[in-house]
């Protein structure tokens, strides 16, 4: 849901010249800006080293729910996959900025009780140690799906359908309790074009930067 939203924003911005998508299966979009590579093994991107050269930013939006997952399995997807790609990119494109979608409640100390929060925090800390020009950690809370994008998780879609009528009221009472996939995309693009004083971005900072790009 987040990745598709970010992609749609990139397609609409004239500043974005080209987009390289790395997917397991095709997203099914034909656009002059898009080059798509289908990759089965997300723990071995070494064959794509040359293809990665010359890009200014990586918007890393891949993730899974930790529901009913063991820590070892969640760590494999969340930490090992992310760091394998991030290390390769920092070597190939040290002038690149790296935007990583984490989540509200991520634990940077590694001492918390929540498994997913510890693993996300460990991943964030490792990304910040890599020699990128800049790295930004996105920790959105509730994300509103816009522009026809839907989550791949049926539970989330059912939840959105129930609470969507209350979203305008919630935003009126507490504007930064909600962001959207559109605003996440705009905020990422803003950090690439202009940088940011924020390294960690929650809903408030995401919405602020998105508004600056509008």
């Amino acid at each position: 849901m987040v990745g598709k939203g970010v992609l749609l924003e990139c397609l609409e911005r004239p500043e974005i010249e080209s987009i390289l998508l790395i997917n397991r299966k095709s997203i099914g979009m034909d656009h002059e800006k898009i080059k798509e590579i289908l990759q089965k093994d997300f723990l071995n991107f070494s064959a794509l080293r040359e293809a990665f050269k010359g890009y200014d930013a990586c918007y890393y939006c891949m993730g899974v729910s930790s529901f009913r997952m063991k820590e070892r399995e969640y760590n494999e997807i969340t930490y090992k996959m992310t760091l394998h790609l991030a290390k390769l990119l920092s070597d190939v494109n040290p002038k690149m900025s790296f935007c990583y979608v984490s989540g509200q409640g991520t634990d940077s100390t590694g001492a918390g009780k929540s498994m997913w929060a510890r693993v996300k925090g460990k991943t964030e800390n490792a990304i910040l140690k890599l020699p990128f020009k800049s790295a930004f950690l996105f920790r959105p809370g509730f994300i509103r799906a816009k522009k026809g994008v839907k989550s791949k998780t049926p539970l989330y879609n059912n939840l959105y359908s129930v609470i969507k009528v209350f979203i305008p009221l919630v935003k009126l009472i507490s504007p930064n309790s909600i962001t959207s996939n559109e605003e996440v995309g705009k905020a990422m693009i803003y950090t690439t074009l202009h940088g940011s004083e924020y390294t960690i971005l929650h809903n408030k900072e995401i919405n602020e930067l998105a508004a600056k790009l509008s």
Side-chain angles (χ1 to χ4, degrees):
M1 182 185 73
V2 175
K4 182 70 174 293
V6 172
L7 173 60
L8 293 177
E9 294 309 310
C10 289
L11 292 177
E12 292 181 3
R13 301 299 302 191
E15 303 95 331
I16 308 295
E17 296 178 358
S18 62
I19 303 164
L20 177 64
L21 296 180
I22 309 298
N23 288 322
R24 282 199 175 93
K25 59 182 180 179
S26 178
I27 197 170
M29 292 180 66
D30 185 20
H31 194 283
E32 60 182 7
K33 287 186 181 182
I34 294 177
K35 177 181 179 181
E36 186 177 41
I37 295 177
L38 300 184
Q39 175 78 6
K40 291 184 178 180
D41 186 359
F42 272 49
L43 282 171
N44 186 5
F45 289 103
S46 56
L48 303 182
R49 187 180 183 90
E50 289 299 314
F52 288 150
K53 289 183 177 179
Y55 286 90
D56 299 302
C58 174
Y59 299 156
Y60 193 96
C61 304
M62 188 181 76
V64 295
S65 169
S66 62
F67 182 63
R68 292 183 177 175
M69 291 186 73
K70 299 293 185 182
E71 184 165 352
R72 181 177 179 180
E73 182 184 7
Y74 188 72
N75 186 77
E76 183 89 356
I77 297 171
T78 301
Y79 178 78
K80 289 183 69 174
M81 283 187 181
T82 305
L83 266 294
H84 172 70
L85 178 61
K87 287 177 180 178
L88 178 58
L89 289 176
S90 67
D91 183 44
V92 173
N93 291 322
K95 294 183 179 180
M96 169 183 279
S97 66
F98 192 93
C99 293
Y100 175 66
V101 178
S102 185
Q104 181 175 298
T106 293
D107 174 22
S108 299
T109 70
K113 294 182 179 179
S114 175
M115 179 273 287
W116 76 265
R118 292 195 310 271
V119 175
K120 285 281 191 180
K122 179 175 70 170
T123 306
E124 286 187 348
N125 293 338
I127 289 170
L128 292 178
K129 292 178 182 178
L130 295 174
F132 288 113
K133 181 182 78 171
S134 56
F136 302 98
L137 311 173
F138 284 69
R139 294 184 181 180
F142 182 83
I143 304 174
R144 181 183 181 185
K146 287 187 174 182
K147 297 187 175 179
V149 177
K150 291 186 177 182
S151 171
K152 289 185 177 180
T153 306
L155 177 62
Y156 293 167
N157 289 324
N158 294 334
L159 177 64
Y160 293 142
S161 65
V162 171
I163 68 174
K164 65 181 179 181
V165 294
F166 300 105
I167 288 177
L169 178 60
V170 173
K171 284 187 69 68
L172 182 64
I173 298 172
S174 181
N176 293 312
S177 62
I178 295 175
T179 189
S180 69
N181 54 359
E182 178 182 355
E183 287 166 311
V184 172
K186 287 181 177 179
M188 286 187 176
I189 295 169
Y190 184 92
T191 63
T192 302
L193 296 174
H194 307 292
S196 172
E197 63 182 294
Y198 310 115
T199 298
I200 297 175
L201 298 93
H202 296 92
N203 282 1
K204 180 178 181 293
E205 293 78 26
I206 291 169
N207 295 341
E208 283 180 7
L209 296 189
K212 291 181 179 181
L213 194 71
S214 299

